[in-house]
Amino acid sequence: MTEQQTSASLANELERFLRGFKDNLGNYKYFERINHMMALGSTSVVIDYIDFDTFTPDLAKEITHRPDDMLEAFNSAVLTILNEIHPDYAEEIIDRVKVRISNYSVQRTLRDINAEVIDKLIGVWGMVVRSSEVKPLAKRIGYRCMNCQTINEAQLKGLLLKKPIKCINCAEKELEMDPENSIFTDFQLVRLQELPEDLPAGQLPHYVEVTVMGDLVDQCRPGDRIMLTGIVRIEQEQISPQIRTSLFRLRMEGNNIEYLGGGTGNKDSRTIERLTIRSEDERQIISVSSKPDAYDKLIASFAPHVYGHEVIKESILLLIVGSLTKKLGDGSTRRGDMNVFLVGDPGTAKSEMLKFAAKIAPRGLYTSGRGSTAAGLTAAVIRDKSGIMMLEAGAVVLGDQGLVCIDEFDKMRPEDRSALHEVMEQQTCSVAKGGIVATLNARTSILSAANPMYGKYDPFKNITENVNLPIPLLTRFDLIFVVRDTPEREKDSRVASHILEIHRDTNRAAQPAIDTELLSKYLAYAKQIEPSLSNEAMDIIKDYYMKMRNVEAEGMITVTPRQLEGLVRLATARARLLLKDRVEADDAERAIYLVQRMLETAGMDVNTGKVDLGVLHGKPHSEVSKLKLFIEIFNALAGEDKNDVSERNFIDELINTGKFTEDDAKTYLRKAMQNGQIFERKAGFYAKA
Amino acid sequence: MPNSNEKRLTRIQDSYTLGYLVEDVKVQYKNALDVSLDEIVIDSKEGDISSVPRWLAQKLSESGIVTIQDKDVAAYVSRTLNLERIARAHDLSGINADFYIRVNDYLSSLDGRDRERIIVSLNSFVVSRIEKIVKLAATSTLTPAIRDKLSVEERELYDLIHESTAAFKKRVIRKFD
């Protein structure tokens, strides 16, 4: 009886708070929220803990230690008010009304969840790495007695529900479940894992299983960074259905989900990072961007411990900031994220730049190709202990709206690497496995690095012959840079001094122009800028594109529409990096400069010394035209009667054209044989297949 | 003399009516037709099917040149009326923004008895929706979710009720500092 009175008086006090709390504007905030529930079709009311604490500090403290009683009383207080103003709606959602606590100040890291906090309300932050399918959970099951038709109810306790042994009325043992007298709610299991940046060195990430119910289901997806408010529960471990151990498992019962960096629980306001940009930071950011040397300073602040490589550093900064994803009227999108590929000799600081990029980029992740699988990169479907199929997010899904750096790209198994094809162009990741068919967002920029095939980059070979990567994947990179380690006395001396200086005095030598923390905030801030393309920038990009399309009348392709889009992305990213609201002429010019730099290294046909994008597509124009000439001469020698062609004659003819050397001719002959274009009818004589 | 609200509503209805009339509908030609009038160029043979703006389709249909192959309007109206009938007491069923414009156009094409039958159903449909709109508008501003469920005329009614009830509330409960 006393307990009943306590819970009733508790509900009364909470009702007083809900009815009487006024916000700064003098509005009855929570009464209005309850009043709006019907119009919004909502079953929950979100209470700001700070408001609650301001109104009744004593009760607010109680919620940490007695969350079950308090939340139950809160629910009943909301129902009382709702019943008064919208009785029909109250009747309909009577079993589903939930009070959710936001802005909860009792926070712990996932590492600090221990036996002390069992049955307490706490807030934890982390990244959602798994979410299960949605299942109906019985909150109450009615069992109909087959003898007297009495309904015997079984209440949910934890995640267990005990069927009554006999009827409360007639002791009949035959009871049958009656769905009409049962109440079900949506249920989902989610796994929350420590944020990568919170992970202490040398430790494995901690995680906690979270159960979410009702309208909280499907509110977070793998890859989301959330602040979860919930009650810590325990569950006894079972060896078999009969044997239970004295070991218990921790589980959290979700009460509210807020998105890190965003507003309170609204998914749309979910922004890029937990990193909060205060007005003071904003002032500093704007002051940095307004200086005339802002661009150079930003580049100089990227990986200051790496000497030189300014163009690559600039490209990585543009990659982190990215461009805008355009949504077209028909629902399709034009990707705004860029992909950059670095290929080069070992020891040229590629990995250092990748690691630094992952560190400063909002939602940045670093992984190495050698230890990554297709499922680890994209998403995996796994079966939980309870038998529920769950979707586990991989790196590119976790890095959604961020950056994924993949080192040692060439050392990945081809079947694992091929999983990235969809990600890099469509920006989605589709899984169809174990009964789950899902398309996850993977709007991530990819920065990868690889070594050349034979250890060192061969300047006499084209890029596709130097890198062991499939051509379709190579064409998905907006920028490809070849980093070569060529001895140059002056440069080497400066690099050596720089490295030695770092070893002597770490702080002084690698001091960035802009502090790393501020740079990180700067980039997160820049990602929110939405510049529009100016006419001047459009004209410059168009002129360059048209000029490059006409480089050779013979049909050599230097740039394609894919590069045109890449140019727009680069120019927009530069405008964003400088916090401009318009993409101006200098942004377009700089984008062209970067593409030109790429074409001069990776896009150069070593046979002709000319820029030819065919190199990146597998066959440069020079090779295509040589092959054409090869076939023409062969056909001419064979004549209309298709006579056998003597090897010596054929090679001499090829050399006479001036486009083939003896070795060249022999190589082409061998290739043509391998491809099945010609065959050796008798020793030294060939015929067309 | 119509007040400003009515004028506004008429303007909105007119623009939606215009949108409805220029919408393309499929027609099948009963006879061959070769017409070239300003921007309208038709060169069709008997049995051809093509898309033309609704207003033109109606004119051609009145002249007996084409038959309009529009969606089944009778089924559309009946489905919409039924959805409202089975909706919960506080839940509005969703209707198209130009639902009433479509219904009225459909009614004008019917003969007396059929028209009466639909108007009788429409009466209870409108009353049910007004009751829900009044209830919702008194509690909340027009949210995107509710907006999507209302016709253009209903959206105006919603805003009007919301503004009036909010003003009324302010008038009867004074704010004290």
PDB file of all heavy atoms in Angstrom, chain A residues 542-570:
ATOM      1  N   LYS A 542      34.884  24.652 -68.429  1.00  0.00           N
ATOM      2  CA  LYS A 542      34.393  24.226 -69.746  1.00  0.00           C
ATOM      3  C   LYS A 542      35.474  24.420 -70.817  1.00  0.00           C
ATOM      4  O   LYS A 542      35.708  23.536 -71.642  1.00  0.00           O
ATOM      5  CB  LYS A 542      33.136  25.024 -70.105  1.00  0.00           C
ATOM      6  CG  LYS A 542      32.404  24.440 -71.287  1.00  0.00           C
ATOM      7  CD  LYS A 542      31.171  25.211 -71.606  1.00  0.00           C
ATOM      8  CE  LYS A 542      30.662  24.760 -72.971  1.00  0.00           C
ATOM      9  NZ  LYS A 542      29.654  25.662 -73.494  1.00  0.00           N
ATOM     10  N   ASP A 543      36.141  25.579 -70.773  1.00  0.00           N
ATOM     11  CA  ASP A 543      37.193  25.859 -71.755  1.00  0.00           C
ATOM     12  C   ASP A 543      38.303  24.816 -71.676  1.00  0.00           C
ATOM     13  O   ASP A 543      38.777  24.319 -72.697  1.00  0.00           O
ATOM     14  CB  ASP A 543      37.798  27.250 -71.510  1.00  0.00           C
ATOM     15  CG  ASP A 543      36.838  28.342 -71.944  1.00  0.00           C
ATOM     16  OD1 ASP A 543      35.843  27.998 -72.613  1.00  0.00           O
ATOM     17  OD2 ASP A 543      37.071  29.517 -71.596  1.00  0.00           O
ATOM     18  N   TYR A 544      38.681  24.479 -70.437  1.00  0.00           N
ATOM     19  CA  TYR A 544      39.760  23.507 -70.250  1.00  0.00           C
ATOM     20  C   TYR A 544      39.332  22.148 -70.810  1.00  0.00           C
ATOM     21  O   TYR A 544      40.084  21.489 -71.523  1.00  0.00           O
ATOM     22  CB  TYR A 544      40.091  23.375 -68.756  1.00  0.00           C
ATOM     23  CG  TYR A 544      41.042  22.247 -68.446  1.00  0.00           C
ATOM     24  CD1 TYR A 544      42.400  22.360 -68.713  1.00  0.00           C
ATOM     25  CD2 TYR A 544      40.576  21.056 -67.882  1.00  0.00           C
ATOM     26  CE1 TYR A 544      43.270  21.312 -68.437  1.00  0.00           C
ATOM     27  CE2 TYR A 544      41.444  20.006 -67.609  1.00  0.00           C
ATOM     28  CZ  TYR A 544      42.790  20.136 -67.890  1.00  0.00           C
ATOM     29  OH  TYR A 544      43.649  19.105 -67.615  1.00  0.00           O
ATOM     30  N   TYR A 545      38.098  21.792 -70.510  1.00  0.00           N
ATOM     31  CA  TYR A 545      37.578  20.499 -70.959  1.00  0.00           C
ATOM     32  C   TYR A 545      37.574  20.423 -72.484  1.00  0.00           C
ATOM     33  O   TYR A 545      38.039  19.446 -73.081  1.00  0.00           O
ATOM     34  CB  TYR A 545      36.166  20.309 -70.393  1.00  0.00           C
ATOM     35  CG  TYR A 545      35.511  19.013 -70.783  1.00  0.00           C
ATOM     36  CD1 TYR A 545      35.939  17.810 -70.250  1.00  0.00           C
ATOM     37  CD2 TYR A 545      34.455  18.991 -71.696  1.00  0.00           C
ATOM     38  CE1 TYR A 545      35.343  16.617 -70.604  1.00  0.00           C
ATOM     39  CE2 TYR A 545      33.850  17.806 -72.055  1.00  0.00           C
ATOM     40  CZ  TYR A 545      34.292  16.623 -71.509  1.00  0.00           C
ATOM     41  OH  TYR A 545      33.704  15.440 -71.870  1.00  0.00           O
ATOM     42  N   MET A 546      37.093  21.491 -73.114  1.00  0.00           N
ATOM     43  CA  MET A 546      37.019  21.501 -74.576  1.00  0.00           C
ATOM     44  C   MET A 546      38.421  21.462 -75.191  1.00  0.00           C
ATOM     45  O   MET A 546      38.649  20.797 -76.189  1.00  0.00           O
ATOM     46  CB  MET A 546      36.272  22.762 -75.069  1.00  0.00           C
ATOM     47  CG  MET A 546      34.817  22.833 -74.639  1.00  0.00           C
ATOM     48  SD  MET A 546      33.902  21.318 -74.970  1.00  0.00           S
ATOM     49  CE  MET A 546      33.749  21.429 -76.741  1.00  0.00           C
ATOM     50  N   LYS A 547      39.328  22.195 -74.539  1.00  0.00           N
ATOM     51  CA  LYS A 547      40.705  22.242 -75.043  1.00  0.00           C
ATOM     52  C   LYS A 547      41.339  20.845 -74.973  1.00  0.00           C
ATOM     53  O   LYS A 547      41.964  20.380 -75.913  1.00  0.00           O
ATOM     54  CB  LYS A 547      41.509  23.235 -74.216  1.00  0.00           C
ATOM     55  CG  LYS A 547      42.805  23.682 -74.864  1.00  0.00           C
ATOM     56  CD  LYS A 547      43.500  24.708 -74.017  1.00  0.00           C
ATOM     57  CE  LYS A 547      44.585  24.025 -73.196  1.00  0.00           C
ATOM     58  NZ  LYS A 547      45.112  24.832 -72.123  1.00  0.00           N
ATOM     59  N   MET A 548      41.124  20.185 -73.849  1.00  0.00           N
ATOM     60  CA  MET A 548      41.727  18.873 -73.661  1.00  0.00           C
ATOM     61  C   MET A 548      41.106  17.812 -74.561  1.00  0.00           C
ATOM     62  O   MET A 548      41.761  16.857 -74.945  1.00  0.00           O
ATOM     63  CB  MET A 548      41.596  18.421 -72.197  1.00  0.00           C
ATOM     64  CG  MET A 548      42.408  19.231 -71.232  1.00  0.00           C
ATOM     65  SD  MET A 548      44.153  19.265 -71.660  1.00  0.00           S
ATOM     66  CE  MET A 548      44.681  17.659 -71.097  1.00  0.00           C
ATOM     67  N   ARG A 549      39.858  17.991 -74.901  1.00  0.00           N
ATOM     68  CA  ARG A 549      39.211  17.014 -75.789  1.00  0.00           C
ATOM     69  C   ARG A 549      39.791  17.102 -77.194  1.00  0.00           C
ATOM     70  O   ARG A 549      39.688  16.162 -77.961  1.00  0.00           O
ATOM     71  CB  ARG A 549      37.687  17.260 -75.865  1.00  0.00           C
ATOM     72  CG  ARG A 549      36.949  17.013 -74.597  1.00  0.00           C
ATOM     73  CD  ARG A 549      36.836  15.569 -74.235  1.00  0.00           C
ATOM     74  NE  ARG A 549      35.957  14.793 -75.100  1.00  0.00           N
ATOM     75  CZ  ARG A 549      35.649  13.523 -74.877  1.00  0.00           C
ATOM     76  NH1 ARG A 549      36.161  12.902 -73.829  1.00  0.00           N
ATOM     77  NH2 ARG A 549      34.869  12.865 -75.695  1.00  0.00           N
ATOM     78  N   ASN A 550      40.383  18.244 -77.541  1.00  0.00           N
ATOM     79  CA  ASN A 550      40.883  18.440 -78.901  1.00  0.00           C
ATOM     80  C   ASN A 550      42.375  18.287 -79.028  1.00  0.00           C
ATOM     81  O   ASN A 550      42.955  18.691 -80.024  1.00  0.00           O
ATOM     82  CB  ASN A 550      40.503  19.853 -79.384  1.00  0.00           C
ATOM     83  CG  ASN A 550      39.069  19.902 -79.815  1.00  0.00           C
ATOM     84  OD1 ASN A 550      38.561  18.895 -80.283  1.00  0.00           O
ATOM     85  ND2 ASN A 550      38.434  21.027 -79.629  1.00  0.00           N
ATOM     86  N   VAL A 551      43.038  17.708 -78.027  1.00  0.00           N
ATOM     87  CA  VAL A 551      44.496  17.656 -78.053  1.00  0.00           C
ATOM     88  C   VAL A 551      45.025  16.994 -79.326  1.00  0.00           C
ATOM     89  O   VAL A 551      45.886  17.519 -80.000  1.00  0.00           O
ATOM     90  CB  VAL A 551      45.015  16.930 -76.798  1.00  0.00           C
ATOM     91  CG1 VAL A 551      46.465  16.556 -76.968  1.00  0.00           C
ATOM     92  CG2 VAL A 551      44.890  17.846 -75.607  1.00  0.00           C
ATOM     93  N   GLU A 552      44.483  15.892 -79.680  1.00  0.00           N
ATOM     94  CA  GLU A 552      44.921  15.193 -80.891  1.00  0.00           C
ATOM     95  C   GLU A 552      43.710  14.911 -81.747  1.00  0.00           C
ATOM     96  O   GLU A 552      42.706  14.413 -81.262  1.00  0.00           O
ATOM     97  CB  GLU A 552      45.588  13.865 -80.510  1.00  0.00           C
ATOM     98  CG  GLU A 552      46.940  14.023 -79.840  1.00  0.00           C
ATOM     99  CD  GLU A 552      48.057  14.330 -80.808  1.00  0.00           C
ATOM    100  OE1 GLU A 552      47.915  13.935 -81.994  1.00  0.00           O
ATOM    101  OE2 GLU A 552      49.038  14.952 -80.407  1.00  0.00           O
ATOM    102  N   ALA A 553      43.836  15.264 -82.990  1.00  0.00           N
ATOM    103  CA  ALA A 553      42.701  15.050 -83.874  1.00  0.00           C
ATOM    104  C   ALA A 553      42.450  13.564 -84.115  1.00  0.00           C
ATOM    105  O   ALA A 553      41.356  13.161 -84.473  1.00  0.00           O
ATOM    106  CB  ALA A 553      42.944  15.764 -85.185  1.00  0.00           C
ATOM    107  N   GLU A 554      43.482  12.735 -83.869  1.00  0.00           N
ATOM    108  CA  GLU A 554      43.348  11.309 -84.196  1.00  0.00           C
ATOM    109  C   GLU A 554      42.377  10.559 -83.275  1.00  0.00           C
ATOM    110  O   GLU A 554      42.146   9.388 -83.460  1.00  0.00           O
ATOM    111  CB  GLU A 554      44.715  10.624 -84.056  1.00  0.00           C
ATOM    112  CG  GLU A 554      45.707  10.999 -85.106  1.00  0.00           C
ATOM    113  CD  GLU A 554      47.056  10.380 -84.776  1.00  0.00           C
ATOM    114  OE1 GLU A 554      47.101   9.185 -84.457  1.00  0.00           O
ATOM    115  OE2 GLU A 554      48.051  11.098 -84.823  1.00  0.00           O
ATOM    116  N   GLY A 555      41.881  11.210 -82.296  1.00  0.00           N
ATOM    117  CA  GLY A 555      40.923  10.539 -81.422  1.00  0.00           C
ATOM    118  C   GLY A 555      41.485  10.188 -80.069  1.00  0.00           C
ATOM    119  O   GLY A 555      40.942   9.369 -79.359  1.00  0.00           O
ATOM    120  N   MET A 556      42.622  10.812 -79.721  1.00  0.00           N
ATOM    121  CA  MET A 556      43.181  10.561 -78.398  1.00  0.00           C
ATOM    122  C   MET A 556      42.279  11.196 -77.336  1.00  0.00           C
ATOM    123  O   MET A 556      41.874  12.346 -77.481  1.00  0.00           O
ATOM    124  CB  MET A 556      44.573  11.185 -78.332  1.00  0.00           C
ATOM    125  CG  MET A 556      45.264  10.935 -77.012  1.00  0.00           C
ATOM    126  SD  MET A 556      46.763  11.883 -76.931  1.00  0.00           S
ATOM    127  CE  MET A 556      47.801  10.994 -78.044  1.00  0.00           C
ATOM    128  N   ILE A 557      41.934  10.428 -76.327  1.00  0.00           N
ATOM    129  CA  ILE A 557      41.054  10.971 -75.299  1.00  0.00           C
ATOM    130  C   ILE A 557      41.894  11.401 -74.105  1.00  0.00           C
ATOM    131  O   ILE A 557      42.615  10.605 -73.528  1.00  0.00           O
ATOM    132  CB  ILE A 557      39.987   9.941 -74.888  1.00  0.00           C
ATOM    133  CG1 ILE A 557      39.028   9.761 -76.050  1.00  0.00           C
ATOM    134  CG2 ILE A 557      39.224  10.410 -73.652  1.00  0.00           C
ATOM    135  CD1 ILE A 557      37.994   8.719 -75.820  1.00  0.00           C
ATOM    136  N   THR A 558      41.814  12.676 -73.797  1.00  0.00           N
ATOM    137  CA  THR A 558      42.616  13.163 -72.679  1.00  0.00           C
ATOM    138  C   THR A 558      41.775  13.312 -71.422  1.00  0.00           C
ATOM    139  O   THR A 558      42.214  12.964 -70.354  1.00  0.00           O
ATOM    140  CB  THR A 558      43.270  14.495 -73.036  1.00  0.00           C
ATOM    141  OG1 THR A 558      42.239  15.325 -73.544  1.00  0.00           O
ATOM    142  CG2 THR A 558      44.372  14.316 -74.023  1.00  0.00           C
ATOM    143  N   VAL A 559      40.610  13.853 -71.549  1.00  0.00           N
ATOM    144  CA  VAL A 559      39.712  13.905 -70.393  1.00  0.00           C
ATOM    145  C   VAL A 559      38.336  13.394 -70.808  1.00  0.00           C
ATOM    146  O   VAL A 559      37.962  13.474 -71.973  1.00  0.00           O
ATOM    147  CB  VAL A 559      39.558  15.331 -69.787  1.00  0.00           C
ATOM    148  CG1 VAL A 559      40.803  15.766 -69.076  1.00  0.00           C
ATOM    149  CG2 VAL A 559      39.138  16.324 -70.836  1.00  0.00           C
ATOM    150  N   THR A 560      37.603  12.858 -69.851  1.00  0.00           N
ATOM    151  CA  THR A 560      36.266  12.334 -70.126  1.00  0.00           C
ATOM    152  C   THR A 560      35.285  13.081 -69.220  1.00  0.00           C
ATOM    153  O   THR A 560      35.706  13.786 -68.301  1.00  0.00           O
ATOM    154  CB  THR A 560      36.206  10.839 -69.798  1.00  0.00           C
ATOM    155  OG1 THR A 560      36.466  10.704 -68.410  1.00  0.00           O
ATOM    156  CG2 THR A 560      37.205  10.034 -70.588  1.00  0.00           C
ATOM    157  N   PRO A 561      33.968  12.907 -69.456  1.00  0.00           N
ATOM    158  CA  PRO A 561      33.004  13.570 -68.570  1.00  0.00           C
ATOM    159  C   PRO A 561      33.236  13.239 -67.096  1.00  0.00           C
ATOM    160  O   PRO A 561      32.931  14.028 -66.222  1.00  0.00           O
ATOM    161  CB  PRO A 561      31.664  13.038 -69.054  1.00  0.00           C
ATOM    162  CG  PRO A 561      31.892  12.748 -70.486  1.00  0.00           C
ATOM    163  CD  PRO A 561      33.299  12.262 -70.580  1.00  0.00           C
ATOM    164  N   ARG A 562      33.822  12.067 -66.814  1.00  0.00           N
ATOM    165  CA  ARG A 562      34.103  11.715 -65.430  1.00  0.00           C
ATOM    166  C   ARG A 562      35.103  12.718 -64.824  1.00  0.00           C
ATOM    167  O   ARG A 562      34.976  13.123 -63.680  1.00  0.00           O
ATOM    168  CB  ARG A 562      34.694  10.311 -65.388  1.00  0.00           C
ATOM    169  CG  ARG A 562      34.308   9.580 -64.148  1.00  0.00           C
ATOM    170  CD  ARG A 562      34.794   8.170 -64.175  1.00  0.00           C
ATOM    171  NE  ARG A 562      33.785   7.275 -63.616  1.00  0.00           N
ATOM    172  CZ  ARG A 562      33.914   5.971 -63.549  1.00  0.00           C
ATOM    173  NH1 ARG A 562      34.974   5.405 -64.041  1.00  0.00           N
ATOM    174  NH2 ARG A 562      32.970   5.233 -63.019  1.00  0.00           N
ATOM    175  N   GLN A 563      36.098  13.110 -65.639  1.00  0.00           N
ATOM    176  CA  GLN A 563      37.079  14.086 -65.145  1.00  0.00           C
ATOM    177  C   GLN A 563      36.445  15.462 -65.012  1.00  0.00           C
ATOM    178  O   GLN A 563      36.816  16.245 -64.154  1.00  0.00           O
ATOM    179  CB  GLN A 563      38.279  14.181 -66.091  1.00  0.00           C
ATOM    180  CG  GLN A 563      39.383  13.194 -65.760  1.00  0.00           C
ATOM    181  CD  GLN A 563      38.993  11.791 -66.119  1.00  0.00           C
ATOM    182  OE1 GLN A 563      38.425  11.578 -67.194  1.00  0.00           O
ATOM    183  NE2 GLN A 563      39.262  10.835 -65.266  1.00  0.00           N
ATOM    184  N   LEU A 564      35.464  15.742 -65.902  1.00  0.00           N
ATOM    185  CA  LEU A 564      34.775  17.034 -65.827  1.00  0.00           C
ATOM    186  C   LEU A 564      34.066  17.160 -64.477  1.00  0.00           C
ATOM    187  O   LEU A 564      34.155  18.199 -63.805  1.00  0.00           O
ATOM    188  CB  LEU A 564      33.762  17.145 -66.978  1.00  0.00           C
ATOM    189  CG  LEU A 564      32.977  18.436 -67.068  1.00  0.00           C
ATOM    190  CD1 LEU A 564      33.882  19.602 -67.379  1.00  0.00           C
ATOM    191  CD2 LEU A 564      31.900  18.349 -68.135  1.00  0.00           C
ATOM    192  N   GLU A 565      33.393  16.102 -64.087  1.00  0.00           N
ATOM    193  CA  GLU A 565      32.726  16.111 -62.776  1.00  0.00           C
ATOM    194  C   GLU A 565      33.751  16.218 -61.661  1.00  0.00           C
ATOM    195  O   GLU A 565      33.534  16.893 -60.667  1.00  0.00           O
ATOM    196  CB  GLU A 565      31.890  14.846 -62.597  1.00  0.00           C
ATOM    197  CG  GLU A 565      30.650  14.853 -63.468  1.00  0.00           C
ATOM    198  CD  GLU A 565      29.591  13.903 -62.972  1.00  0.00           C
ATOM    199  OE1 GLU A 565      29.958  12.856 -62.428  1.00  0.00           O
ATOM    200  OE2 GLU A 565      28.400  14.211 -63.136  1.00  0.00           O
ATOM    201  N   GLY A 566      34.879  15.543 -61.865  1.00  0.00           N
ATOM    202  CA  GLY A 566      35.961  15.595 -60.886  1.00  0.00           C
ATOM    203  C   GLY A 566      36.470  17.016 -60.718  1.00  0.00           C
ATOM    204  O   GLY A 566      36.754  17.461 -59.604  1.00  0.00           O
ATOM    205  N   LEU A 567      36.570  17.745 -61.843  1.00  0.00           N
ATOM    206  CA  LEU A 567      37.033  19.137 -61.797  1.00  0.00           C
ATOM    207  C   LEU A 567      36.072  20.000 -60.975  1.00  0.00           C
ATOM    208  O   LEU A 567      36.491  20.833 -60.181  1.00  0.00           O
ATOM    209  CB  LEU A 567      37.115  19.701 -63.218  1.00  0.00           C
ATOM    210  CG  LEU A 567      38.388  19.377 -64.000  1.00  0.00           C
ATOM    211  CD1 LEU A 567      38.215  19.751 -65.454  1.00  0.00           C
ATOM    212  CD2 LEU A 567      39.575  20.132 -63.422  1.00  0.00           C
ATOM    213  N   VAL A 568      34.779  19.789 -61.192  1.00  0.00           N
ATOM    214  CA  VAL A 568      33.773  20.564 -60.449  1.00  0.00           C
ATOM    215  C   VAL A 568      33.896  20.245 -58.953  1.00  0.00           C
ATOM    216  O   VAL A 568      33.851  21.141 -58.105  1.00  0.00           O
ATOM    217  CB  VAL A 568      32.344  20.249 -60.958  1.00  0.00           C
ATOM    218  CG1 VAL A 568      31.301  20.969 -60.136  1.00  0.00           C
ATOM    219  CG2 VAL A 568      32.215  20.614 -62.419  1.00  0.00           C
ATOM    220  N   ARG A 569      34.092  18.955 -58.647  1.00  0.00           N
ATOM    221  CA  ARG A 569      34.227  18.554 -57.244  1.00  0.00           C
ATOM    222  C   ARG A 569      35.442  19.227 -56.599  1.00  0.00           C
ATOM    223  O   ARG A 569      35.361  19.763 -55.498  1.00  0.00           O
ATOM    224  CB  ARG A 569      34.371  17.029 -57.145  1.00  0.00           C
ATOM    225  CG  ARG A 569      33.042  16.305 -57.178  1.00  0.00           C
ATOM    226  CD  ARG A 569      33.227  14.864 -56.727  1.00  0.00           C
ATOM    227  NE  ARG A 569      33.897  14.056 -57.731  1.00  0.00           N
ATOM    228  CZ  ARG A 569      33.292  13.342 -58.664  1.00  0.00           C
ATOM    229  NH1 ARG A 569      31.979  13.344 -58.721  1.00  0.00           N
ATOM    230  NH2 ARG A 569      33.961  12.617 -59.529  1.00  0.00           N
ATOM    231  N   LEU A 570      36.544  19.223 -57.331  1.00  0.00           N
ATOM    232  CA  LEU A 570      37.772  19.808 -56.782  1.00  0.00           C
ATOM    233  C   LEU A 570      37.621  21.314 -56.572  1.00  0.00           C
ATOM    234  O   LEU A 570      38.011  21.844 -55.532  1.00  0.00           O
ATOM    235  CB  LEU A 570      38.938  19.546 -57.737  1.00  0.00           C
ATOM    236  CG  LEU A 570      39.566  18.164 -57.665  1.00  0.00           C
ATOM    237  CD1 LEU A 570      40.493  17.951 -58.848  1.00  0.00           C
ATOM    238  CD2 LEU A 570      40.351  18.005 -56.374  1.00  0.00           C
TER     239      LEU A 570
END
